[in-house]
Amino acid sequence: HLAPGWLVEFEKKLHRLKPNDKFRLFLTCEIHPKLPSTLLRTSNTFVFEPPPGIKASMLRSFRTVLSSERTDKAPAERARMHFLLSWFHAVVLERLRYLPIGWTKGYEFSETD
């Protein structure tokens, strides 16, 4: 996280406040060891993880982002480009699962990739 020290101070200020009952705070962050655990325990935590596997990720892209209105228009290369873009996005997401070796270490691609 960019400011773990600030989060500790923010948590103290948040507990001193007397907010309205309808007050909601949406805070987004990455998992970090210096993230205050008490802040996590008192929060509703939602975690979004992309679907596992390239096929599931591509199906999700086609269902949510791409529609037949977008892909069926001329020229025909548009549908191919959408397919390649969703495939590339799926490969990038899948490689991110293997951090830190996913991007820092060179290894050969095989037919399974």
Side-chain angles (χ1 to χ4, degrees), residues 36-82:
S37 60
T38 54
L39 183 64
L40 289 174
R41 276 189 236 125
T42 59
S43 303
N44 290 333
T45 307
F46 298 97
V47 178
F48 174 76
E49 290 188 16
I54 292 175
K55 181 179 178 182
S57 182
M58 287 182 69
L59 287 173
R60 182 177 164 271
S61 293
F62 280 113
R63 286 185 189 133
T64 58
V65 179
L66 301 174
S67 64
S68 60
E69 296 170 355
R70 289 184 179 176
T71 56
D72 292 345
K73 291 183 181 178
E77 286 78 18
R78 179 186 307 256
R80 291 183 193 130
M81 188 60 106
H82 287 154

Side-chain angles (χ1 to χ4, degrees), residues 18-34:
K18 300 290 183 200
N20 188 326
D21 289 337
K22 295 185 179 189
F23 174 76
R24 300 291 182 262
L25 174 69
F26 292 90
L27 183 67
T28 60
C29 66
E30 292 180 4
I31 303 296
H32 192 275
K34 291 187 179 180

